[in-house]
Amino acid sequence: MKTLLVHFDMKFLKPILLGFLFFLLVLIGGILTWYFLQGPSHQGLVRSDFADQVFKIETLVDVTPIANKPNIVFILADDLGYGDVGFNLQTAINTQHLDALASESVVFTNFYAPASICTPSRVGFLTGRYALRQGLAYPFHHVNGSFVMQVGNRVANTLGVVDMRGEHNIVDGLMQSEIIIPEMLKLANYKTGVVGKWHLGTISQDEQFHPFNHGFDYFVGLEASNDDWPVAFYENDRKMLDDIGLDQTHYTQLFTDSAKSFMTQHKDEPFFLYVAHKDPHQPFFPSPKFRGKSKGGSYGDAVEEFDHSVGQILKHLDSLGLSENTIVVVTSDNGPWFEGNPCGLRGRKGQLFEGGYRVPFILRYPKKLKTAYKTDVPAMGIDLFPTLMAEAGISLPKDRIIDGHNLFDILADTNLAASRPLFFFHDYAFEAVRIGDWKFLETNYSYLWPLPLEHPNYATKGFVPEYSPANSDTSINRLDNWPKLYNLSESPSESYNLATRNGQKVKEMQRVLVDFRTEFLRNPRGWTGN
């Protein structure tokens, strides 16, 4: 009887246990999948925090008539490293045209892109505001990959293995209520054109993000990065190709020719030309003339073709007799990605460290800047907007915070240069600040070892090993120590954390960072109520 009972129990108990185990695995799998598929850390911000406002731009600014207004040519490289140019002492890549331009210009050696990745950086350059005020923290991607890829990416993100946690912007593209450079300049009768990479909203999915709806009169270019397939190619309001595919060798010259054509057409009136090259963003497609010519490999080939394009544009300005009264700016949207030279700076694209944010920057304006020189004054891409507006006789919009400062004011005012804070963000959080020579990092994302396991947004934070002696209330982190404080004049490579030796400086800079972040979260769009 006992034998039969045991047999009976095992006969029914085994499938029950297996069923319960299967249910438990499914439940755990579901919870993990839900957890890993959650959106990025938005700091509590939601779409309604970035609502559009209806306004007439004419009521927000004042325009002062200026005779002989300057032309403006803004040339932006894609992923060009701080050390990829000869004027920053690089030797492997021939950048003869950039070097010649630098010898006639003011070169900022402590210049930062507005962000360490492309879309938010471009927003910062064009608006004079940190891109988080626009609700944009990531590049736009057409394809999110398979379900398995999405889960795998989230797992890697949550464990701190990769640096971007989710890559989902709160908004879909550049909103109508965000005023950019060409919209302002049109009030002063400028003609406006953009050639190259746009990347401020997927035009082929929503026409409201077309440059024509944001102040540009002329557009020849790509809607996104050259590797974000399918990438549509446009000529003005006509989509010429649904996808450029791998046939990309001719685009750098095409953009150069389009830029020259625009300048010729508008040589007798003030113009703003934004040349946003695809180079040297990977994958690299140098034209036959440049393929295999650089000591810097395919990346170097792409940089040298970009350099050649800059030379052609400058030569064309000369031929039109416009160089003296034209502001020329050349810089990069962020530091180098997998290839490229950050020139000994720590980090790369996507990081808060110097290698991700610090970029080459050249400013030439012969009519105003009579002497070429280098300056170590800290500045950022958000300073371009107020600088150009001042030179065009246009006041800044009254209804919003403009985060940037006029570069000429910064150069002239040593107190302003030494005291103004520059903020660095990742995801939707401001996590670092520079004031003068000091840079403070409260925390940091990284896709390079050592991983920031103690970052509050990573699942690994609770597993960071600590040591605490017996009968002691003191504990110490066995891995990295936070926060970070660097003196960039003494260690631009951010190699030596001085936080424990400068407690008062840490408190001062952390307070500046916390106050700015608190105010941003209270008023994300930066409306002033005027």
Side-chain angles (χ1 to χ4, degrees):
M1 185 69 177
K2 289 183 179 180
T3 303
L4 289 174
L5 184 60
V6 169
H7 178 72
F8 173 83
D9 289 343
M10 292 302 297
K11 179 180 179 181
F12 290 97
L13 186 59
K14 187 175 182 180
I16 291 173
L17 290 173
L18 289 174
F20 177 75
L21 180 61
F22 177 76
F23 170 78
L24 190 62
L25 290 173
V26 170
L27 179 63
I28 293 173
I31 292 173
L32 288 175
T33 300
W34 171 84
Y35 176 74
F36 287 128
L37 283 181
Q38 293 305 295
S41 174
H42 286 162
Q43 310 302 314
L45 298 169
V46 295
R47 180 64 182 84
S48 59
D49 291 320
F50 298 91
D52 267 342
Q53 289 196 19
V54 178
F55 60 87
K56 291 185 177 180
I57 188 172
E58 297 85 352
T59 66
L60 301 179
V61 300
D62 299 315
V63 180
T64 302
I66 292 179
N68 201 22
K69 291 186 284 287
N71 303 305
I72 302 163
V73 177
F74 172 37
I75 303 175
L76 187 65
D78 196 344
D79 294 359
L80 181 70
Y82 184 80
D84 287 325
V85 291
F87 62 86
N88 280 342
L89 306 182
Q90 180 284 133
T91 58
I93 302 173
N94 180 2
T95 57
Q96 57 182 318
H97 301 291
L98 289 168
D99 299 344
L101 176 63
S103 70
E104 305 168 349
S105 308
V106 174
V107 174
F108 285 73
T109 60
N110 279 271
F111 189 88
Y112 296 100
S116 63
I117 46 180
C118 43
T119 292
S121 181
R122 290 157 200 270
V123 171
F125 275 116
L126 292 174
T127 66
R129 288 152 53 88
Y130 294 107
L132 295 192
R133 297 197 186 281
Q134 164 69 20
L136 296 173
Y138 305 112
F140 288 104
H141 296 292
H142 296 163
V143 181
N144 292 321
S146 66
F147 176 78
V148 174
M149 281 185 63
Q150 292 182 55
V151 173
N153 185 49
R154 269 317 144 72
V155 172
N157 285 331
T158 305
L159 295 178
V161 179
V162 294
D163 69 320
M164 287 191 280
R165 184 179 165 82
E167 294 191 344
H168 296 300
N169 283 306
I170 292 179
V171 300
D172 298 325
L174 188 66
M175 292 188 288
Q176 294 299 314
S177 58
E178 201 66 28
I179 300 173
I180 66 175
I181 290 172
E183 294 175 282
M184 296 282 282
L185 291 177
K186 287 180 73 68
L187 298 177
N189 299 317
Y190 275 73
K191 294 297 182 181
T192 59
V194 53
V195 299
K197 169 181 166 180
W198 180 236
H199 217 190
L200 296 180
T202 305
I203 307 167
S204 57
Q205 296 178 5
D206 193 333
E207 278 290 323
Q208 72 169 303
F209 302 126
H210 192 287
F212 281 9
N213 295 319
H214 297 277
F216 284 106
D217 304 313
Y218 177 81
F219 174 48
V220 174
L222 313 176
E223 66 179 349
S225 297
N226 70 322
D227 66 336
D228 194 23
W229 299 289
V231 185
F233 169 67
Y234 283 79
E235 288 185 3
N236 291 314
D237 58 351
R238 295 179 59 200
K239 183 165 68 171
M240 309 303 291
L241 289 172
D242 290 324
D243 184 20
I244 60 173
L246 303 182
D247 182 20
Q248 298 186 21
T249 58
H250 62 289
Y251 280 107
T252 301
Q253 188 59 52
L254 186 153
F255 297 151
T256 305
D257 292 339
S258 299
K260 291 162 62 176
S261 175
F262 175 83
M263 290 188 293
T264 299
Q265 184 179 356
H266 300 293
K267 61 183 176 61
D268 296 323
E269 53 194 332
F271 62 76
F272 168 66
L273 173 61
Y274 171 35
V275 184
H277 271 297
K278 69 175 184 60
D279 301 319
H281 190 287
Q282 71 173 40
F284 315 116
F285 295 96
S287 66
K289 180 180 178 180
F290 294 90
R291 189 181 306 132
K293 299 297 176 61
S294 170
K295 295 179 182 178
S298 295
Y299 178 91
D301 295 344
V303 173
E304 291 191 5
E305 188 159 15
F306 168 79
D307 175 77
H308 178 71
S309 171
V310 172
Q312 286 186 284
I313 291 172
L314 296 176
K315 184 178 179 180
H316 195 66
L317 274 174
D318 285 340
S319 71
L320 296 174
L322 300 177
S323 296
E324 178 71 17
N325 193 36
T326 298
I327 299 171
V328 175
V329 170
V330 183
T331 187
S332 176
D333 66 342
N334 46 247
W337 198 6
F338 294 104
E339 295 193 44
N341 179 10
C343 202
L345 301 175
R346 185 175 180 178
R348 305 179 80 83
K349 175 180 179 178
Q351 296 182 283
L352 297 177
F353 292 122
E354 294 290 285
Y357 262 89
R358 198 190 294 196
V359 290
F361 185 84
I362 303 171
L363 172 62
R364 188 183 78 174
Y365 186 15
K367 182 179 175 181
K368 185 165 186 171
L369 298 170
K370 303 298 183 182
T371 305
Y373 62 96
K374 288 189 175 182
T375 176
D376 60 1
V377 168
M380 186 175 270
I382 53 175
D383 298 326
L384 185 64
F385 181 97
T387 303
L388 299 183
M389 294 310 107
E391 295 306 307
I394 306 172
S395 69
L396 300 180
K398 303 171 184 176
D399 67 334
R400 66 198 64 199
I401 294 170
I402 299 297
D403 296 298
H405 288 72
N406 186 330
L407 286 170
F408 297 117
D409 292 342
I410 296 170
L411 290 172
D413 188 342
T414 55
N415 290 328
L416 173 60
S419 62
R420 70 175 297 221
L422 296 171
F423 297 97
F424 305 78
F425 65 87
H426 199 296
D427 274 355
Y428 285 84
F430 288 96
E431 298 185 332
V433 59
R434 174 173 179 169
I435 304 176
D437 290 333
W438 293 96
K439 184 175 176 183
F440 171 79
L441 283 77
E442 187 178 61
T443 185
N444 182 43
Y445 283 83
S446 172
Y447 53 77
L448 299 175
W449 184 260
L451 298 175
L453 302 179
E454 56 277 273
H455 192 284
N457 282 352
Y458 287 153
T460 50
K461 176 175 168 40
F463 300 96
V464 175
E466 293 185 349
Y467 171 71
S468 180
N471 302 318
S472 173
D473 295 331
T474 303
S475 63
I476 189 170
N477 187 344
R478 293 193 185 202
L479 293 178
D480 208 358
N481 294 310
W482 291 91
K484 304 288 190 187
L485 181 70
Y486 301 110
N487 187 313
L488 296 177
S489 67
E490 298 172 356
S491 178
S493 62
E494 295 170 293
S495 299
Y496 309 110
N497 184 9
L498 303 180
T500 57
R501 294 188 181 183
N502 296 273
Q504 187 58 38
K505 178 63 69 173
V506 167
K507 290 180 181 178
E508 291 171 5
M509 298 195 70
Q510 187 165 36
R511 175 49 52 196
V512 171
L513 178 62
V514 169
D515 287 349
F516 182 84
R517 186 168 57 213
T518 300
E519 179 57 26
F520 163 72
L521 292 173
R522 186 192 69 80
N523 179 20
R525 289 304 304 276
W527 300 125
T528 63
N530 294 327

